[in-house]
Amino acid sequence: LAEKFRQAAEADPAISPRTREDWLTRIDHHVLPTLGRVRVCDLDAHAVRRFARGLPKMRAKTHRNVLSVLSVLLAWAVAEGLASENPVSRARERFPRDLRRTDATKFEPRALTDAEVKLALAKVGATYRPLVTFIAETGARVSEALGVRFGDVNLQAGTWTVAGQLADDRTVRDAKTPGSMAMVPLSDAAVAVV
């Protein structure tokens, strides 16, 4: 089943390369080692519950993502007529607590201090210093910073419209939805490296 899903995912142009890679990695690292020899007809809500409980210690978000990928795989199997139902959906209904983990300590992202940014920039070579400066000044993701186009920057207004990101094939792909586009004010340091 996993191999058929892999072939279908690789052939589907609607699935982004990053999403495909994420799905297949989670299937290879988490799903197949435990469920790889289980027949689809033997998967039920109880088997999914045991799988979820048996996953190694990981962050709650990673745990949810592993179960989501298993659900995507099984939903595809249902759509293809290879399974009668998605047992992950049934397990979420019957055993919601067992399928949900919480982190002991919540991760709280924080901005670097000016001293930390200065220290980091001192360790970065001249080639990457403008990129790292832009990321530090705007809070951009690496793929977003690498995907900045001239048309996205308004130097007079001192703003950058996050309109895309660098894709795996080195092209800039547009933001997935208009809601994921954002206007970011640019500091003098960010303007200087644009």
Side-chain angles (χ1 to χ4, degrees), residues 142-182:
V142 173
S143 61
E144 291 170 342
L146 290 171
V148 174
R149 297 170 282 204
F150 289 111
D152 300 336
V153 177
N154 182 335
L155 293 175
Q156 289 180 331
T159 60
W160 163 50
T161 302
V162 183
Q165 59 186 175
L166 190 68
D168 293 336
D169 62 1
R170 297 184 182 202
T171 61
V172 176
R173 77 171 169 242
D174 292 334
K176 288 183 179 178
T177 65
S180 60
M181 296 174 66

PDB file of all heavy atoms in Angstrom, residues 142-182:
ATOM      1  N   VAL A 142      13.853  31.054   5.523  1.00  0.00           N
ATOM      2  CA  VAL A 142      14.949  31.030   4.544  1.00  0.00           C
ATOM      3  C   VAL A 142      14.385  30.980   3.129  1.00  0.00           C
ATOM      4  O   VAL A 142      14.815  31.731   2.243  1.00  0.00           O
ATOM      5  CB  VAL A 142      15.904  29.839   4.806  1.00  0.00           C
ATOM      6  CG1 VAL A 142      16.938  29.727   3.697  1.00  0.00           C
ATOM      7  CG2 VAL A 142      16.582  29.978   6.159  1.00  0.00           C
ATOM      8  N   SER A 143      13.396  30.113   2.891  1.00  0.00           N
ATOM      9  CA  SER A 143      12.833  29.990   1.539  1.00  0.00           C
ATOM     10  C   SER A 143      12.158  31.281   1.094  1.00  0.00           C
ATOM     11  O   SER A 143      12.180  31.620  -0.093  1.00  0.00           O
ATOM     12  CB  SER A 143      11.849  28.819   1.475  1.00  0.00           C
ATOM     13  OG  SER A 143      10.779  29.015   2.370  1.00  0.00           O
ATOM     14  N   GLU A 144      11.555  32.009   2.027  1.00  0.00           N
ATOM     15  CA  GLU A 144      10.938  33.293   1.676  1.00  0.00           C
ATOM     16  C   GLU A 144      11.999  34.331   1.334  1.00  0.00           C
ATOM     17  O   GLU A 144      11.855  35.072   0.355  1.00  0.00           O
ATOM     18  CB  GLU A 144      10.087  33.810   2.840  1.00  0.00           C
ATOM     19  CG  GLU A 144       8.846  32.985   3.100  1.00  0.00           C
ATOM     20  CD  GLU A 144       8.150  33.361   4.399  1.00  0.00           C
ATOM     21  OE1 GLU A 144       8.770  34.000   5.266  1.00  0.00           O
ATOM     22  OE2 GLU A 144       6.970  32.988   4.536  1.00  0.00           O
ATOM     23  N   ALA A 145      13.060  34.381   2.129  1.00  0.00           N
ATOM     24  CA  ALA A 145      14.133  35.352   1.871  1.00  0.00           C
ATOM     25  C   ALA A 145      14.818  35.060   0.544  1.00  0.00           C
ATOM     26  O   ALA A 145      15.175  35.981  -0.194  1.00  0.00           O
ATOM     27  CB  ALA A 145      15.147  35.331   3.011  1.00  0.00           C
ATOM     28  N   LEU A 146      14.992  33.787   0.212  1.00  0.00           N
ATOM     29  CA  LEU A 146      15.621  33.431  -1.062  1.00  0.00           C
ATOM     30  C   LEU A 146      14.688  33.681  -2.240  1.00  0.00           C
ATOM     31  O   LEU A 146      15.142  33.755  -3.381  1.00  0.00           O
ATOM     32  CB  LEU A 146      16.058  31.959  -1.044  1.00  0.00           C
ATOM     33  CG  LEU A 146      17.226  31.633  -0.119  1.00  0.00           C
ATOM     34  CD1 LEU A 146      17.415  30.128  -0.008  1.00  0.00           C
ATOM     35  CD2 LEU A 146      18.509  32.304  -0.598  1.00  0.00           C
ATOM     36  N   GLY A 147      13.400  33.826  -1.966  1.00  0.00           N
ATOM     37  CA  GLY A 147      12.423  34.052  -3.033  1.00  0.00           C
ATOM     38  C   GLY A 147      12.036  35.501  -3.236  1.00  0.00           C
ATOM     39  O   GLY A 147      11.122  35.795  -3.997  1.00  0.00           O
ATOM     40  N   VAL A 148      12.723  36.432  -2.578  1.00  0.00           N
ATOM     41  CA  VAL A 148      12.398  37.854  -2.735  1.00  0.00           C
ATOM     42  C   VAL A 148      12.668  38.280  -4.177  1.00  0.00           C
ATOM     43  O   VAL A 148      13.726  37.996  -4.734  1.00  0.00           O
ATOM     44  CB  VAL A 148      13.225  38.732  -1.763  1.00  0.00           C
ATOM     45  CG1 VAL A 148      12.992  40.211  -2.039  1.00  0.00           C
ATOM     46  CG2 VAL A 148      12.874  38.405  -0.327  1.00  0.00           C
ATOM     47  N   ARG A 149      11.677  38.949  -4.776  1.00  0.00           N
ATOM     48  CA  ARG A 149      11.818  39.480  -6.130  1.00  0.00           C
ATOM     49  C   ARG A 149      11.773  41.004  -6.048  1.00  0.00           C
ATOM     50  O   ARG A 149      11.207  41.571  -5.111  1.00  0.00           O
ATOM     51  CB  ARG A 149      10.692  38.954  -7.020  1.00  0.00           C
ATOM     52  CG  ARG A 149      10.729  37.425  -7.178  1.00  0.00           C
ATOM     53  CD  ARG A 149       9.484  36.913  -7.842  1.00  0.00           C
ATOM     54  NE  ARG A 149       8.413  36.881  -6.836  1.00  0.00           N
ATOM     55  CZ  ARG A 149       7.350  36.091  -6.908  1.00  0.00           C
ATOM     56  NH1 ARG A 149       7.193  35.290  -7.920  1.00  0.00           N
ATOM     57  NH2 ARG A 149       6.424  36.120  -5.973  1.00  0.00           N
ATOM     58  N   PHE A 150      12.359  41.652  -7.034  1.00  0.00           N
ATOM     59  CA  PHE A 150      12.386  43.118  -7.038  1.00  0.00           C
ATOM     60  C   PHE A 150      10.989  43.706  -6.907  1.00  0.00           C
ATOM     61  O   PHE A 150      10.778  44.685  -6.207  1.00  0.00           O
ATOM     62  CB  PHE A 150      13.071  43.652  -8.303  1.00  0.00           C
ATOM     63  CG  PHE A 150      14.548  43.433  -8.321  1.00  0.00           C
ATOM     64  CD1 PHE A 150      15.115  42.538  -9.213  1.00  0.00           C
ATOM     65  CD2 PHE A 150      15.372  44.097  -7.434  1.00  0.00           C
ATOM     66  CE1 PHE A 150      16.488  42.324  -9.227  1.00  0.00           C
ATOM     67  CE2 PHE A 150      16.738  43.900  -7.436  1.00  0.00           C
ATOM     68  CZ  PHE A 150      17.296  43.015  -8.326  1.00  0.00           C
ATOM     69  N   GLY A 151      10.023  43.101  -7.571  1.00  0.00           N
ATOM     70  CA  GLY A 151       8.656  43.597  -7.523  1.00  0.00           C
ATOM     71  C   GLY A 151       7.996  43.460  -6.159  1.00  0.00           C
ATOM     72  O   GLY A 151       6.963  44.070  -5.897  1.00  0.00           O
ATOM     73  N   ASP A 152       8.585  42.646  -5.278  1.00  0.00           N
ATOM     74  CA  ASP A 152       8.015  42.436  -3.948  1.00  0.00           C
ATOM     75  C   ASP A 152       8.441  43.523  -2.958  1.00  0.00           C
ATOM     76  O   ASP A 152       7.892  43.612  -1.865  1.00  0.00           O
ATOM     77  CB  ASP A 152       8.450  41.084  -3.370  1.00  0.00           C
ATOM     78  CG  ASP A 152       8.008  39.905  -4.223  1.00  0.00           C
ATOM     79  OD1 ASP A 152       7.027  40.042  -4.974  1.00  0.00           O
ATOM     80  OD2 ASP A 152       8.654  38.841  -4.123  1.00  0.00           O
ATOM     81  N   VAL A 153       9.449  44.315  -3.338  1.00  0.00           N
ATOM     82  CA  VAL A 153      10.027  45.295  -2.414  1.00  0.00           C
ATOM     83  C   VAL A 153       9.669  46.708  -2.870  1.00  0.00           C
ATOM     84  O   VAL A 153       9.829  47.045  -4.041  1.00  0.00           O
ATOM     85  CB  VAL A 153      11.560  45.136  -2.339  1.00  0.00           C
ATOM     86  CG1 VAL A 153      12.179  46.195  -1.440  1.00  0.00           C
ATOM     87  CG2 VAL A 153      11.931  43.740  -1.859  1.00  0.00           C
ATOM     88  N   ASN A 154       9.189  47.502  -1.942  1.00  0.00           N
ATOM     89  CA  ASN A 154       8.912  48.909  -2.203  1.00  0.00           C
ATOM     90  C   ASN A 154       9.880  49.705  -1.329  1.00  0.00           C
ATOM     91  O   ASN A 154       9.643  49.887  -0.134  1.00  0.00           O
ATOM     92  CB  ASN A 154       7.460  49.249  -1.865  1.00  0.00           C
ATOM     93  CG  ASN A 154       7.111  50.683  -2.170  1.00  0.00           C
ATOM     94  OD1 ASN A 154       7.979  51.565  -2.194  1.00  0.00           O
ATOM     95  ND2 ASN A 154       5.826  50.922  -2.386  1.00  0.00           N
ATOM     96  N   LEU A 155      10.978  50.150  -1.937  1.00  0.00           N
ATOM     97  CA  LEU A 155      12.003  50.850  -1.169  1.00  0.00           C
ATOM     98  C   LEU A 155      11.519  52.201  -0.659  1.00  0.00           C
ATOM     99  O   LEU A 155      11.906  52.631   0.428  1.00  0.00           O
ATOM    100  CB  LEU A 155      13.274  51.017  -2.005  1.00  0.00           C
ATOM    101  CG  LEU A 155      14.021  49.710  -2.333  1.00  0.00           C
ATOM    102  CD1 LEU A 155      15.193  49.974  -3.256  1.00  0.00           C
ATOM    103  CD2 LEU A 155      14.486  49.025  -1.056  1.00  0.00           C
ATOM    104  N   GLN A 156      10.656  52.868  -1.427  1.00  0.00           N
ATOM    105  CA  GLN A 156      10.147  54.169  -0.974  1.00  0.00           C
ATOM    106  C   GLN A 156       9.293  54.017   0.282  1.00  0.00           C
ATOM    107  O   GLN A 156       9.397  54.800   1.211  1.00  0.00           O
ATOM    108  CB  GLN A 156       9.344  54.849  -2.075  1.00  0.00           C
ATOM    109  CG  GLN A 156      10.212  55.341  -3.213  1.00  0.00           C
ATOM    110  CD  GLN A 156       9.377  56.008  -4.298  1.00  0.00           C
ATOM    111  OE1 GLN A 156       8.212  55.671  -4.488  1.00  0.00           O
ATOM    112  NE2 GLN A 156       9.992  56.954  -4.994  1.00  0.00           N
ATOM    113  N   ALA A 157       8.443  53.004   0.304  1.00  0.00           N
ATOM    114  CA  ALA A 157       7.591  52.783   1.470  1.00  0.00           C
ATOM    115  C   ALA A 157       8.335  51.999   2.556  1.00  0.00           C
ATOM    116  O   ALA A 157       7.880  51.945   3.695  1.00  0.00           O
ATOM    117  CB  ALA A 157       6.331  52.027   1.058  1.00  0.00           C
ATOM    118  N   GLY A 158       9.451  51.374   2.177  1.00  0.00           N
ATOM    119  CA  GLY A 158      10.192  50.558   3.142  1.00  0.00           C
ATOM    120  C   GLY A 158       9.439  49.304   3.535  1.00  0.00           C
ATOM    121  O   GLY A 158       9.417  48.917   4.701  1.00  0.00           O
ATOM    122  N   THR A 159       8.834  48.634   2.511  1.00  0.00           N
ATOM    123  CA  THR A 159       8.078  47.418   2.796  1.00  0.00           C
ATOM    124  C   THR A 159       8.450  46.298   1.830  1.00  0.00           C
ATOM    125  O   THR A 159       8.941  46.543   0.731  1.00  0.00           O
ATOM    126  CB  THR A 159       6.557  47.657   2.686  1.00  0.00           C
ATOM    127  OG1 THR A 159       6.260  48.086   1.348  1.00  0.00           O
ATOM    128  CG2 THR A 159       6.070  48.661   3.701  1.00  0.00           C
ATOM    129  N   TRP A 160       8.187  45.096   2.272  1.00  0.00           N
ATOM    130  CA  TRP A 160       8.377  43.893   1.456  1.00  0.00           C
ATOM    131  C   TRP A 160       7.088  43.091   1.530  1.00  0.00           C
ATOM    132  O   TRP A 160       6.577  42.832   2.618  1.00  0.00           O
ATOM    133  CB  TRP A 160       9.554  43.075   1.985  1.00  0.00           C
ATOM    134  CG  TRP A 160       9.620  41.651   1.521  1.00  0.00           C
ATOM    135  CD1 TRP A 160       9.522  41.194   0.239  1.00  0.00           C
ATOM    136  CD2 TRP A 160       9.807  40.490   2.339  1.00  0.00           C
ATOM    137  NE1 TRP A 160       9.651  39.830   0.203  1.00  0.00           N
ATOM    138  CE2 TRP A 160       9.822  39.373   1.481  1.00  0.00           C
ATOM    139  CE3 TRP A 160       9.967  40.295   3.692  1.00  0.00           C
ATOM    140  CZ2 TRP A 160       9.989  38.075   1.947  1.00  0.00           C
ATOM    141  CZ3 TRP A 160      10.137  38.994   4.159  1.00  0.00           C
ATOM    142  CH2 TRP A 160      10.148  37.903   3.288  1.00  0.00           C
ATOM    143  N   THR A 161       6.550  42.717   0.374  1.00  0.00           N
ATOM    144  CA  THR A 161       5.368  41.863   0.329  1.00  0.00           C
ATOM    145  C   THR A 161       5.834  40.428   0.161  1.00  0.00           C
ATOM    146  O   THR A 161       6.446  40.081  -0.846  1.00  0.00           O
ATOM    147  CB  THR A 161       4.437  42.253  -0.839  1.00  0.00           C
ATOM    148  OG1 THR A 161       4.072  43.619  -0.678  1.00  0.00           O
ATOM    149  CG2 THR A 161       3.198  41.380  -0.849  1.00  0.00           C
ATOM    150  N   VAL A 162       5.566  39.625   1.175  1.00  0.00           N
ATOM    151  CA  VAL A 162       5.923  38.200   1.111  1.00  0.00           C
ATOM    152  C   VAL A 162       4.946  37.561   0.142  1.00  0.00           C
ATOM    153  O   VAL A 162       3.793  37.333   0.475  1.00  0.00           O
ATOM    154  CB  VAL A 162       5.823  37.528   2.497  1.00  0.00           C
ATOM    155  CG1 VAL A 162       6.259  36.073   2.418  1.00  0.00           C
ATOM    156  CG2 VAL A 162       6.651  38.276   3.526  1.00  0.00           C
ATOM    157  N   ALA A 163       5.416  37.319  -1.075  1.00  0.00           N
ATOM    158  CA  ALA A 163       4.518  36.830  -2.119  1.00  0.00           C
ATOM    159  C   ALA A 163       4.898  35.449  -2.631  1.00  0.00           C
ATOM    160  O   ALA A 163       4.203  34.884  -3.454  1.00  0.00           O
ATOM    161  CB  ALA A 163       4.507  37.811  -3.288  1.00  0.00           C
ATOM    162  N   GLY A 164       6.002  34.897  -2.163  1.00  0.00           N
ATOM    163  CA  GLY A 164       6.419  33.584  -2.627  1.00  0.00           C
ATOM    164  C   GLY A 164       7.606  33.085  -1.850  1.00  0.00           C
ATOM    165  O   GLY A 164       8.067  33.710  -0.889  1.00  0.00           O
ATOM    166  N   GLN A 165       8.078  31.927  -2.277  1.00  0.00           N
ATOM    167  CA  GLN A 165       9.249  31.338  -1.651  1.00  0.00           C
ATOM    168  C   GLN A 165       9.986  30.489  -2.675  1.00  0.00           C
ATOM    169  O   GLN A 165       9.412  30.049  -3.667  1.00  0.00           O
ATOM    170  CB  GLN A 165       8.868  30.516  -0.420  1.00  0.00           C
ATOM    171  CG  GLN A 165       7.925  29.393  -0.682  1.00  0.00           C
ATOM    172  CD  GLN A 165       7.463  28.699   0.585  1.00  0.00           C
ATOM    173  OE1 GLN A 165       6.630  27.839   0.504  1.00  0.00           O
ATOM    174  NE2 GLN A 165       7.960  29.035   1.741  1.00  0.00           N
ATOM    175  N   LEU A 166      11.269  30.277  -2.413  1.00  0.00           N
ATOM    176  CA  LEU A 166      12.079  29.482  -3.318  1.00  0.00           C
ATOM    177  C   LEU A 166      11.661  28.026  -3.211  1.00  0.00           C
ATOM    178  O   LEU A 166      11.605  27.462  -2.117  1.00  0.00           O
ATOM    179  CB  LEU A 166      13.565  29.633  -2.976  1.00  0.00           C
ATOM    180  CG  LEU A 166      14.534  29.045  -3.999  1.00  0.00           C
ATOM    181  CD1 LEU A 166      14.487  29.840  -5.300  1.00  0.00           C
ATOM    182  CD2 LEU A 166      15.944  29.046  -3.440  1.00  0.00           C
ATOM    183  N   ALA A 167      11.362  27.417  -4.340  1.00  0.00           N
ATOM    184  CA  ALA A 167      10.948  26.017  -4.374  1.00  0.00           C
ATOM    185  C   ALA A 167      12.169  25.123  -4.529  1.00  0.00           C
ATOM    186  O   ALA A 167      13.285  25.597  -4.782  1.00  0.00           O
ATOM    187  CB  ALA A 167       9.974  25.797  -5.531  1.00  0.00           C
ATOM    188  N   ASP A 168      11.958  23.827  -4.380  1.00  0.00           N
ATOM    189  CA  ASP A 168      13.059  22.877  -4.485  1.00  0.00           C
ATOM    190  C   ASP A 168      13.710  22.882  -5.865  1.00  0.00           C
ATOM    191  O   ASP A 168      14.885  22.555  -6.000  1.00  0.00           O
ATOM    192  CB  ASP A 168      12.565  21.463  -4.156  1.00  0.00           C
ATOM    193  CG  ASP A 168      12.150  21.325  -2.699  1.00  0.00           C
ATOM    194  OD1 ASP A 168      12.639  22.120  -1.866  1.00  0.00           O
ATOM    195  OD2 ASP A 168      11.341  20.438  -2.391  1.00  0.00           O
ATOM    196  N   ASP A 169      12.951  23.243  -6.894  1.00  0.00           N
ATOM    197  CA  ASP A 169      13.511  23.272  -8.245  1.00  0.00           C
ATOM    198  C   ASP A 169      14.156  24.624  -8.570  1.00  0.00           C
ATOM    199  O   ASP A 169      14.432  24.929  -9.714  1.00  0.00           O
ATOM    200  CB  ASP A 169      12.442  22.929  -9.280  1.00  0.00           C
ATOM    201  CG  ASP A 169      11.290  23.921  -9.298  1.00  0.00           C
ATOM    202  OD1 ASP A 169      11.317  24.903  -8.522  1.00  0.00           O
ATOM    203  OD2 ASP A 169      10.362  23.715 -10.094  1.00  0.00           O
ATOM    204  N   ARG A 170      14.373  25.448  -7.537  1.00  0.00           N
ATOM    205  CA  ARG A 170      15.041  26.749  -7.626  1.00  0.00           C
ATOM    206  C   ARG A 170      14.234  27.811  -8.361  1.00  0.00           C
ATOM    207  O   ARG A 170      14.769  28.791  -8.832  1.00  0.00           O
ATOM    208  CB  ARG A 170      16.438  26.621  -8.223  1.00  0.00           C
ATOM    209  CG  ARG A 170      17.349  25.782  -7.358  1.00  0.00           C
ATOM    210  CD  ARG A 170      18.730  25.748  -7.897  1.00  0.00           C
ATOM    211  NE  ARG A 170      19.541  24.880  -7.047  1.00  0.00           N
ATOM    212  CZ  ARG A 170      20.831  24.940  -6.978  1.00  0.00           C
ATOM    213  NH1 ARG A 170      21.491  25.804  -7.708  1.00  0.00           N
ATOM    214  NH2 ARG A 170      21.484  24.125  -6.190  1.00  0.00           N
ATOM    215  N   THR A 171      12.940  27.601  -8.477  1.00  0.00           N
ATOM    216  CA  THR A 171      12.059  28.632  -8.999  1.00  0.00           C
ATOM    217  C   THR A 171      11.333  29.255  -7.811  1.00  0.00           C
ATOM    218  O   THR A 171      11.268  28.667  -6.737  1.00  0.00           O
ATOM    219  CB  THR A 171      11.013  28.055  -9.978  1.00  0.00           C
ATOM    220  OG1 THR A 171      10.204  27.100  -9.272  1.00  0.00           O
ATOM    221  CG2 THR A 171      11.684  27.394 -11.171  1.00  0.00           C
ATOM    222  N   VAL A 172      10.794  30.439  -8.013  1.00  0.00           N
ATOM    223  CA  VAL A 172      10.032  31.081  -6.948  1.00  0.00           C
ATOM    224  C   VAL A 172       8.574  30.734  -7.165  1.00  0.00           C
ATOM    225  O   VAL A 172       8.001  31.047  -8.208  1.00  0.00           O
ATOM    226  CB  VAL A 172      10.239  32.614  -6.948  1.00  0.00           C
ATOM    227  CG1 VAL A 172       9.362  33.258  -5.885  1.00  0.00           C
ATOM    228  CG2 VAL A 172      11.695  32.944  -6.712  1.00  0.00           C
ATOM    229  N   ARG A 173       7.996  30.059  -6.198  1.00  0.00           N
ATOM    230  CA  ARG A 173       6.578  29.718  -6.312  1.00  0.00           C
ATOM    231  C   ARG A 173       5.782  30.719  -5.484  1.00  0.00           C
ATOM    232  O   ARG A 173       6.199  31.153  -4.416  1.00  0.00           O
ATOM    233  CB  ARG A 173       6.316  28.281  -5.898  1.00  0.00           C
ATOM    234  CG  ARG A 173       6.310  28.020  -4.439  1.00  0.00           C
ATOM    235  CD  ARG A 173       5.822  26.603  -4.117  1.00  0.00           C
ATOM    236  NE  ARG A 173       6.111  26.363  -2.727  1.00  0.00           N
ATOM    237  CZ  ARG A 173       6.912  25.434  -2.282  1.00  0.00           C
ATOM    238  NH1 ARG A 173       7.492  24.613  -3.113  1.00  0.00           N
ATOM    239  NH2 ARG A 173       7.129  25.307  -0.996  1.00  0.00           N
ATOM    240  N   ASP A 174       4.633  31.087  -6.030  1.00  0.00           N
ATOM    241  CA  ASP A 174       3.774  32.065  -5.362  1.00  0.00           C
ATOM    242  C   ASP A 174       3.264  31.501  -4.048  1.00  0.00           C
ATOM    243  O   ASP A 174       3.209  30.289  -3.846  1.00  0.00           O
ATOM    244  CB  ASP A 174       2.591  32.429  -6.254  1.00  0.00           C
ATOM    245  CG  ASP A 174       3.030  33.209  -7.484  1.00  0.00           C
ATOM    246  OD1 ASP A 174       4.086  33.871  -7.413  1.00  0.00           O
ATOM    247  OD2 ASP A 174       2.334  33.144  -8.501  1.00  0.00           O
ATOM    248  N   ALA A 175       2.880  32.402  -3.161  1.00  0.00           N
ATOM    249  CA  ALA A 175       2.275  32.007  -1.896  1.00  0.00           C
ATOM    250  C   ALA A 175       1.050  31.146  -2.185  1.00  0.00           C
ATOM    251  O   ALA A 175       0.365  31.341  -3.187  1.00  0.00           O
ATOM    252  CB  ALA A 175       1.890  33.239  -1.093  1.00  0.00           C
ATOM    253  N   LYS A 176       0.783  30.182  -1.311  1.00  0.00           N
ATOM    254  CA  LYS A 176      -0.316  29.252  -1.548  1.00  0.00           C
ATOM    255  C   LYS A 176      -1.667  29.948  -1.600  1.00  0.00           C
ATOM    256  O   LYS A 176      -2.521  29.609  -2.402  1.00  0.00           O
ATOM    257  CB  LYS A 176      -0.337  28.173  -0.461  1.00  0.00           C
ATOM    258  CG  LYS A 176       0.785  27.171  -0.577  1.00  0.00           C
ATOM    259  CD  LYS A 176       0.646  26.101   0.474  1.00  0.00           C
ATOM    260  CE  LYS A 176       1.770  25.089   0.343  1.00  0.00           C
ATOM    261  NZ  LYS A 176       1.684  24.057   1.377  1.00  0.00           N
ATOM    262  N   THR A 177      -1.874  30.907  -0.713  1.00  0.00           N
ATOM    263  CA  THR A 177      -3.159  31.610  -0.672  1.00  0.00           C
ATOM    264  C   THR A 177      -2.897  33.095  -0.487  1.00  0.00           C
ATOM    265  O   THR A 177      -1.841  33.476   0.026  1.00  0.00           O
ATOM    266  CB  THR A 177      -4.027  31.130   0.506  1.00  0.00           C
ATOM    267  OG1 THR A 177      -3.377  31.491   1.730  1.00  0.00           O
ATOM    268  CG2 THR A 177      -4.267  29.635   0.460  1.00  0.00           C
ATOM    269  N   PRO A 178      -3.844  33.926  -0.881  1.00  0.00           N
ATOM    270  CA  PRO A 178      -3.672  35.365  -0.632  1.00  0.00           C
ATOM    271  C   PRO A 178      -3.477  35.670   0.850  1.00  0.00           C
ATOM    272  O   PRO A 178      -2.774  36.603   1.209  1.00  0.00           O
ATOM    273  CB  PRO A 178      -4.971  35.980  -1.161  1.00  0.00           C
ATOM    274  CG  PRO A 178      -5.478  35.003  -2.164  1.00  0.00           C
ATOM    275  CD  PRO A 178      -5.039  33.651  -1.669  1.00  0.00           C
ATOM    276  N   GLY A 179      -4.086  34.846   1.710  1.00  0.00           N
ATOM    277  CA  GLY A 179      -3.937  35.045   3.145  1.00  0.00           C
ATOM    278  C   GLY A 179      -2.525  34.806   3.651  1.00  0.00           C
ATOM    279  O   GLY A 179      -2.147  35.290   4.710  1.00  0.00           O
ATOM    280  N   SER A 180      -1.739  34.032   2.897  1.00  0.00           N
ATOM    281  CA  SER A 180      -0.372  33.765   3.342  1.00  0.00           C
ATOM    282  C   SER A 180       0.600  34.850   2.875  1.00  0.00           C
ATOM    283  O   SER A 180       1.770  34.828   3.218  1.00  0.00           O
ATOM    284  CB  SER A 180       0.096  32.385   2.876  1.00  0.00           C
ATOM    285  OG  SER A 180       0.071  32.295   1.478  1.00  0.00           O
ATOM    286  N   MET A 181       0.091  35.797   2.088  1.00  0.00           N
ATOM    287  CA  MET A 181       0.908  36.948   1.698  1.00  0.00           C
ATOM    288  C   MET A 181       0.858  37.962   2.840  1.00  0.00           C
ATOM    289  O   MET A 181      -0.165  38.127   3.479  1.00  0.00           O
ATOM    290  CB  MET A 181       0.385  37.568   0.410  1.00  0.00           C
ATOM    291  CG  MET A 181       0.482  36.634  -0.780  1.00  0.00           C
ATOM    292  SD  MET A 181      -0.299  37.295  -2.260  1.00  0.00           S
ATOM    293  CE  MET A 181       0.727  38.680  -2.626  1.00  0.00           C
ATOM    294  N   ALA A 182       1.971  38.604   3.100  1.00  0.00           N
ATOM    295  CA  ALA A 182       2.015  39.581   4.183  1.00  0.00           C
ATOM    296  C   ALA A 182       2.884  40.744   3.763  1.00  0.00           C
ATOM    297  O   ALA A 182       3.823  40.590   2.976  1.00  0.00           O
ATOM    298  CB  ALA A 182       2.574  38.933   5.446  1.00  0.00           C
TER     299      ALA A 182
END
